[in-house]
């Protein structure tokens, strides 16, 4: 067996190349997901909305002179680009529409990926979403209801991607490399948001908002071509993997690296406390995450009065911090396990607590920043940076407690975790309909309270031990004889 493969994943190894492909795939996925958040500022005719609401809304935060000048220029669109008079409630519904569809394909995607392999579902999910994104300008022109339906369909297609990723890593990631491989690949989502937000603002300003959706959709289609050429479901079927790496992965995973059958222990899952200890904290964490993901550009625009390009760049900073810290957390978590300094349970609980409770503290602080854009951006960035630690905690815990069913479990946890994506934009739209500092303060405090509750819940009930209902027949026989 090749020793260079057994220690740490190398840049030349197939599993590291798979992680890189997933990283860029999820970067594209989140570009497709967040583009509307920034483009919405350019799509909406702010002049009409302001004139209709000036009678009962006053700007609590002063609008700098240069921002007034920049807004008059940066919010303008090239000649012939349509703009729409959608109110804040309509915008909230449109921003949340994606998650209505996203809810329905998580569990089927995870189950089918665990049974047949995840490469087809992950690649197909990204490709389908990319193709639909190309139709966004047309659907917006047809009306808000058409755009809502299109975004829901995009969510429907993209819902299979994360469960498929988990199912693939259940067959590809050796136990002592899980955190670094999975956090790196999933960190593409934060990287994608970081790149997409400022790039969207630049494209909106220079080419008009429709170009945002054409470029994002095109990028997704291009990525899918490389994915289907280069990726296989498992080491046994990969045409270019070395014998040393293949043997190492297969031997380290044992029977847990094989696909599950048609039946899954549904009742055992339903009554599994460790599974609910994943579901609840993920819902709580996602409330904060989706609130920022969908509504932060609106906060930057209506309260802090950043112009479009400032808005998109500053909205991206929290995701840069989250990306860096999530990748680092994976390396740190694996090192702690390799050196046997902490158990899997202890590592998952510590990283989850840091990633949920401490960000809540900074979200509370954002509520006290008032009109200070510098402080608001600083606290939001610190909150997202610390939130990256949860990537090596609760977010990969499914593969600890049930490796064979990891895709199905992620589908279940993501289904529940998507509920905040549906509700948060609507709640934010309702709470901030007067564009006041007080309304946004309540948004951040609500997010902080929900996140802190999730941290405490996981510390009490979470575990990193494989569950009895997830063991294979071979493992059960071994336990009996030992």
């Amino acid at each position: 067996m090749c020793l260079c493969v057994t220690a740490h994943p190398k840049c030349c190894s197939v599993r590291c190349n798979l992680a890189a492909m997933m990283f860029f795939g999820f970067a594209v996925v989140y570009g497709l997901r967040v583009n509307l958040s920034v483009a919405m500022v350019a799509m909406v005719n702010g002049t009409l909305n302001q004139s209709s609401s000036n009678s009962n809304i006053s700007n609590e935060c002063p609008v700098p002179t240069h921002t007034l000048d920049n807004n008059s220029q940066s919010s303008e669109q090239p000649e012939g680009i349509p703009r729409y008079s959608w109110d804040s409630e309509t915008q909230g519904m449109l921003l949340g529409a994606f998650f209505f569809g996203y809810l329905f394909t998580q569990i089927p995607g995870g189950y089918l990926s665990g049974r047949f392999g995840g490469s087809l579902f992950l690649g197909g999910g990204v490709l389908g979403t990319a193709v639909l994104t190309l139709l966004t300008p047309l659907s917006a022109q047809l009306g808000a209801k058409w755009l809502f339906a299109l975004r829901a369909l995009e969510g429907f297609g993209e819902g299979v991607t994360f469960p498929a990723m988990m199912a693939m890593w259940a067959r590809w990631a050796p136990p002592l490399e899980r955190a670094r491989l999975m956090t790196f690949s999933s960190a593409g989502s934060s990287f994608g948001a970081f790149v997409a937000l400022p790039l969207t603002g630049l494209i909106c300003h220079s080419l008009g908002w429709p170009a945002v959706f054409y470029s994002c959709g095109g990028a997704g289609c291009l990525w899918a071509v490389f994915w289907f050429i280069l990726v296989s479901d498992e080491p046994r079927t990969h045409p270019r993997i070395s014998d040393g790496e293949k043997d190492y992965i297969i031997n380290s995973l044992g029977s847990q690296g094989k696909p599950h059958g048609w039946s899954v222990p549904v009742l055992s899952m339903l009554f599994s406390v460790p599974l609910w200890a994943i579901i609840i904290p993920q819902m709580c964490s996602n409330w904060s995450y989706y609130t920022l993901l969908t509504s932060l550009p609106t906060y930057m625009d209506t309260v802090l009065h950043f112009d479009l390009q400032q808005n998109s760049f500053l909205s991206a900073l929290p995701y840069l911090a989250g990306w860096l810290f999530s990748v680092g957390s994976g390396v740190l978590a694996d090192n702690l396990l390799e050196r046997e300094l902490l158990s899997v349970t202890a590592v998952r609980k510590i990283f989850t607590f840091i990633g949920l409770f401490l960000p809540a503290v900074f979200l509370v602080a954002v509520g006290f920043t008032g009109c200070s854009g510098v402080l608001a951006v600083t606290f939001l960035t610190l909150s997202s940076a610390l939130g990256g630690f949860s990537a090596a905690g609760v977010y990969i815990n499914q593969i600890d407690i049930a490796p064979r069913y990891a895709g199905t479990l992620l589908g279940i946890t993501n289904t529940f975790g998507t509920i905040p994506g549906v509700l948060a934009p609507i709640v934010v739209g309702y709470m901030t309909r007067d564009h006041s500092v007080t309304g946004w303060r309540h948004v951040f405090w609500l997010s902080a309270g929900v996140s802190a509750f999730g941290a405490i819940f996981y510390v009490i009930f979470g575990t990193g031990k494989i569950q009895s209902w997830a063991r294979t027949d071979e493992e059960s026989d071994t336990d009996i004889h030992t």
Side-chain angles (χ1 to χ4, degrees):
M1 187 179 296
C2 179
L3 294 178
C4 71
V5 179
T6 61
H8 298 288
K10 304 296 182 180
C11 61
C12 59
S13 67
V14 172
R15 63 191 185 280
C16 273
N17 294 337
L18 174 61
M21 284 298 299
M22 286 186 178
F23 176 88
F24 288 110
F26 285 114
V28 169
V29 160
Y30 265 69
L32 297 172
R33 187 181 300 193
V34 307
N35 50 23
L36 185 63
S37 299
V38 174
M40 184 71 74
V41 179
M43 295 171 73
V44 172
N45 190 329
T47 304
L48 288 178
N49 284 337
Q50 280 185 343
S51 62
S52 64
S53 58
N54 273 344
S55 58
N56 55 8
I57 296 176
S58 59
N59 284 322
E60 298 177 64
C61 298
V63 183
T65 305
H66 72 275
T67 301
L68 285 171
D69 296 336
N70 287 340
N71 274 336
S72 65
Q73 297 173 5
S74 64
S75 61
E76 289 180 358
Q77 292 293 284
E79 186 176 353
I81 301 297
R83 304 185 73 183
Y84 308 101
S85 54
W86 297 328
D87 57 27
S88 61
E89 286 83 0
T90 300
Q91 293 176 52
M93 289 293 293
L94 291 174
L95 290 172
F98 177 94
F99 301 101
F100 280 94
Y102 197 65
L103 274 169
F104 291 100
T105 49
Q106 298 282 334
I107 295 176
Y111 171 76
L112 294 174
S113 295
R115 181 68 181 85
F116 298 107
S119 63
L120 175 62
F121 294 95
L122 202 161
V126 177
L127 179 61
T129 306
V131 171
L132 289 170
T133 298
L134 297 172
L135 302 175
T136 301
L138 175 62
S139 63
Q141 189 172 359
L142 292 174
K145 292 181 179 179
W146 285 89
L147 180 57
F148 182 95
L150 182 78
R151 291 288 294 183
L153 281 176
E154 289 182 30
F156 189 88
E158 198 174 299
V160 302
T161 54
F162 275 96
M165 177 203 73
M166 185 67 78
M168 291 190 71
W169 281 130
R171 304 185 190 184
W172 275 99
L176 293 180
E177 299 176 7
R178 282 173 179 167
R180 62 167 62 91
L181 287 171
M182 293 176 65
T183 54
F184 177 78
S185 55
S186 61
S189 59
S190 295
F191 179 78
F194 165 67
V195 172
L197 286 167
L199 192 59
T200 298
L202 179 63
I203 294 174
C204 281
H205 176 60
S206 57
L207 300 176
W209 63 262
V212 169
F213 302 100
Y214 297 140
S215 57
C216 289
C221 294
L222 180 63
W223 174 88
V225 172
F226 286 97
W227 174 265
F228 287 119
I229 293 173
L230 298 175
V231 171
S232 296
D233 284 319
E234 57 181 328
R236 293 179 179 85
T237 60
H238 199 287
R240 293 174 295 278
I241 192 172
S242 68
D243 290 336
E245 183 180 7
K246 178 166 64 174
D247 291 341
Y248 169 56
I249 296 173
I250 292 174
N251 293 334
S252 66
L253 294 175
S255 58
Q256 288 290 348
K258 298 177 182 178
H260 61 69
W262 285 106
S263 62
V264 295
V266 176
L267 287 179
S268 298
M269 292 178 179
L270 181 63
F271 292 102
S272 174
V273 174
L275 178 56
W276 284 101
I278 299 173
I279 291 172
I280 301 300
Q282 282 199 11
M283 290 180 66
C284 295
S285 177
N286 282 357
W287 182 277
S288 301
Y289 186 78
Y290 287 136
T291 294
L292 299 183
L293 188 71
T294 58
S295 303
L296 188 55
T298 302
Y299 170 69
M300 299 282 191
D301 176 44
T302 59
V303 175
L304 302 181
H305 304 301
F306 292 120
D307 66 54
L308 182 59
Q309 293 183 66
Q310 286 178 316
N311 184 335
S312 55
F313 174 74
L314 294 174
S315 295
L317 285 180
Y319 300 102
L320 172 62
W323 166 50
L324 295 174
F325 274 70
S326 63
V327 173
S329 72
V331 176
L332 178 58
D334 277 346
N335 284 335
L336 291 171
L337 294 176
E338 287 175 24
R339 297 178 183 181
E340 298 182 348
L341 298 175
L342 294 170
S343 67
V344 174
T345 298
V347 168
R348 299 295 181 247
K349 287 188 175 183
I350 291 170
F351 280 70
T352 299
F353 185 82
I354 295 173
L356 269 70
F357 193 87
L358 296 186
V361 174
F362 286 103
L363 285 176
V364 171
V366 175
F368 289 104
T369 58
C371 297
S372 174
V374 174
L375 282 178
V377 172
T378 300
F379 288 143
L380 287 168
T381 302
L382 289 171
S383 178
S384 294
L386 292 170
F389 277 91
S390 63
V394 65
Y395 277 95
I396 63 171
N397 196 205
Q398 295 93 339
I399 204 169
D400 297 320
I401 67 171
R404 295 179 68 216
Y405 305 109
T408 301
L409 293 191
L410 187 65
I412 294 171
T413 57
N414 253 14
T415 297
F416 283 95
T418 303
I419 294 174
V422 176
L423 298 179
I426 299 173
V427 172
V428 171
Y430 176 78
M431 295 175 72
T432 63
R433 60 191 183 278
D434 61 351
H435 305 294
S436 68
V437 172
T438 301
W440 281 100
R441 180 180 298 129
H442 293 158
V443 168
F444 293 122
W445 287 357
L446 174 62
S447 297
V450 171
S451 183
F453 172 78
I456 295 170
F457 190 91
Y458 185 80
V459 168
I460 296 173
F461 298 108
T463 183
K465 296 180 180 179
I466 186 170
Q467 299 301 291
S468 58
W469 49 265
R471 294 184 180 275
T472 64
D473 293 336
E474 298 174 25
E475 291 171 323
S476 299
D477 292 339
T478 301
D479 291 340
I480 292 174
H481 289 98
T482 55

